[in-house]
Amino acid sequence: MLLLLSVVLIACSMSARKPIKTLIITGQNNHNWQVSHLVLRDILENSGLFTVDFAISPEKGQDMSNFIINFKPYQLVVLDYNGDEWPQLTKTRFEEYAQKGGGIIVYHAADNSFPHWEEFNKICALGGWEGRNENAGPYAYWSDGELTKDFSPGIGGAHGSQHEYILIGRDGEHPIVNGLPNRWAHAKDELYGLMRGPANIASLLYTSFSDKSVGGSGREEPLIFTVDYGKTRIFHTMLGHCGPTYQDNPAMQCTGFQVTLLRGAEWAATGKVTQKVPKDFPTSSFITYRFDYKEAVE
Ligand code: ZN
């Protein structure tokens, strides 16, 4: 009987999954990183699937030489950084982490950073601003039922005024989006457009139409996708412009943002998504919110 009990206990402890060790890199951003990195942590940790550490850089213009990151303990790295160049050792280690298949999330303005770092731009697939133009690579947008690459000259990166918009699914089979509605309404946010880069998108998950009436590009823009980068799993979400405070932060409080982030994060770290489709996911006509960054207990 005692033997049987210990066998059962071992089986139970094995089935309790170890949380995914995650590192959020931040400390400089043209956005409110002081809030966004805490929100990202809380979304991830409140799911029970992740434990999060931070790597916080010196302030802009300060000496970066001691900003040395050890990526080895982590299964997932979340980029919430847009600022000064990292020291070469940290860049090299990040490339090694990526090339060995470590999971990566590119979040919102992280894809603005490092316009001249070639490997970084391959990890993002698309980026914007910071002087990007046709030399950064083509535009990529949805046209005539497929992802079109457009090599015409012009700026890289733009957005109109913030507004609510509809995300449209383009690859319903991918584990990140499988079971989610094909159209869902997103809270007030920026809608990135005219992004440029190597455009090595692996699976285009969601696009949204960038309406000229609100200063947009007039194109169906890729906003959530995975990146083709060897065996590495990279999830890139352009959603989630951070609001002024933790409590006043609609784009990140949107359930659709949080759920796609959580599913993308699990997939990037493990290659699988074990999360069920939640009942509070938005529909094409109703935006839903998780104001405290967690799923409501029923
Ligand atoms: Zn923004």
Side-chain angles (χ1 to χ4, degrees), residues 31 108-109 159 190 192 241-242:
H31 288 69
H108 197 60
H159 61 75
E190 290 169 345
Y192 276 11
H241 178 85
C242 189

Side-chain angles (χ1 to χ4, degrees), residues 81 83-86 91 112-117 120-121 132:
Y81 182 92
D84 292 343
E85 297 287 323
W86 294 344
K91 286 186 167 186
N112 297 190
S113 52
F114 309 130
H116 304 297
W117 179 6
F120 182 83
N121 284 277
R132 282 175 175 83

Side-chain angles (χ1 to χ4, degrees), residues 177-181 259 263 274-281 295:
V177 299
N178 195 282
L180 300 182
V259 170
R263 294 174 69 97
T274 62
Q275 299 162 66
K276 294 195 179 105
V277 175
K279 292 199 177 78
D280 62 343
F281 200 83
E295 190 170 7

Side-chain angles (χ1 to χ4, degrees), residues 97-119:
Y97 170 84
Q99 281 151 13
K100 285 179 184 160
I104 296 171
I105 292 186
V106 181
Y107 155 67
H108 197 60
D111 64 21
N112 297 190
S113 52
F114 309 130
H116 304 297
W117 179 6
E118 191 178 342
E119 285 307 308

Side-chain angles (χ1 to χ4, degrees), residues 247-285:
Q247 292 81 13
D248 179 11
N249 190 15
M252 299 186 86
Q253 285 167 317
C254 172
T255 304
F257 170 75
Q258 294 180 33
V259 170
T260 51
L261 181 84
L262 284 168
R263 294 174 69 97
E266 187 184 10
W267 174 81
T270 70
K272 295 183 184 129
V273 178
T274 62
Q275 299 162 66
K276 294 195 179 105
V277 175
K279 292 199 177 78
D280 62 343
F281 200 83
T283 68
S284 59
S285 47

Side-chain angles (χ1 to χ4, degrees), residues 27 41 51 72 80 127 134 147 186 190 195 197 223 260 286:
R41 177 197 64 189
T51 54
K72 287 213 173 84
D80 180 20
E134 58 275 16
L147 186 71
H186 179 41
E190 290 169 345
M195 304 294 275
L223 296 183
T260 51
F286 290 104

